[in-house]
Amino acid sequence: MLKVEHIGIAVESLAVSVPLFEKLLNTPCYKQEEVSSEQVQTAFFQQGETKIELLEATGSDSAIAKFLAKKGAGMHHIAFEVADIHAEMARLKEEGFVLLHETPKKGADNKLICFLHPKNTNGVLIEICQEIR
Ligand SMILES: CC[C@H](C(=O)O)C(=O)SCCNC(=O)CCNC(=O)[C@H](O)C(C)(C)COP(=O)(O)OP(=O)(O)OC[C@H]1O[C@@H](n2cnc3c(N)ncnc32)[C@H](O)[C@@H]1OP(=O)(O)O
Ligand SMILES: [Co+2]
């Protein structure tokens, strides 16, 4: 894995949290993007080599909506950048991690993504992502 590509934070409202993080980080949000397959609206902030990804639910049965209902706003996942997501998924599966889907999905910010179940990663939701070249 190459680097922490982004840290995902679940928020109730981007309208509230984007201005808050712009003040906190002294950095403008560089992109907002809806990913309908995940029923989320995302907002990104570049922070050096990594990013902050804010996530608002756009559907009641989205993973973010469930997370917010259960745990409230806060840290949601860590995303690691990989060079070859197919090879990394095969390696992680071989190592006994539970992949949440068999093939990579289209994520936000021009990435292919795959999540690992937190039950095998010490309770931390891990996303791996590869730039779509
Ligand atoms: C737009 C794409 C974008 C990108 O970067 O490109 C994204 O990052 S999208 C982010 C939102 N999408 C996802 O998170 C997809 C992957 N997540 C899932 O499939 C689910 O959230 C899953 C399987 C992790 C949990 O779903 P489930 O329906 O099983 O919900 P439960 O509440 O029953 O949770 C079961 C169990 O997991 C714990 N849990 C849930 N979410 C998290 C989390 N973010 N971090 C750590 N642990 C989590 C939850 O507490 C339950 O544990 P238990 O001990 O049983 O209470
Ligand atoms: Co993410």
Side-chain angles (χ1 to χ4, degrees):
M1 300 199 185
L2 302 175
K3 67 174 184 178
V4 173
E5 205 285 329
H6 63 265
I7 293 173
I9 299 174
V11 301
E12 297 288 350
S13 158
L14 289 179
V16 171
S17 295
V18 166
L20 180 123
F21 273 80
E22 286 184 330
K23 269 187 270 180
L24 173 68
L25 303 173
N26 197 20
T27 306
C29 167
Y30 74 84
K31 172 194 281 190
Q32 290 205 29
E33 181 183 350
E34 181 172 9
V35 180
S36 47
S37 61
E38 289 294 326
Q39 297 185 63
V40 290
Q41 179 78 14
T42 62
F44 284 91
F45 300 79
Q46 189 75 41
Q47 286 295 287
E49 279 295 297
T50 193
K51 298 163 187 165
I52 297 293
E53 174 191 65
L54 303 183
L55 299 138
E56 178 184 339
T58 56
S60 56
D61 62 347
S62 79
I64 294 299
K66 285 189 79 172
F67 180 87
L68 288 168
K70 190 162 190 177
K71 298 181 182 240
M75 290 283 286
H76 182 259
H77 64 275
I78 301 176
F80 292 96
E81 184 176 25
V82 296
D84 178 342
I85 195 164
H86 291 93
E88 199 61 27
M89 286 172 69
R91 184 188 72 77
L92 290 162
K93 193 170 182 179
E94 186 64 29
E95 293 283 8
F97 293 99
V98 176
L99 305 186
L100 289 171
H101 27 96
E102 283 306 307
T103 55
K105 293 201 285 190
K106 175 83 169 58
D109 210 28
N110 194 43
K111 298 280 186 310
L112 288 176
I113 66 172
C114 180
F115 285 90
L116 309 182
H117 200 290
K119 66 186 174 189
N120 305 98
T121 55
N122 278 142
V124 178
L125 181 61
I126 300 293
E127 172 188 335
I128 57 171
C129 59
Q130 177 198 315
E131 187 83 28
I132 298 173
R133 292 182 276 274

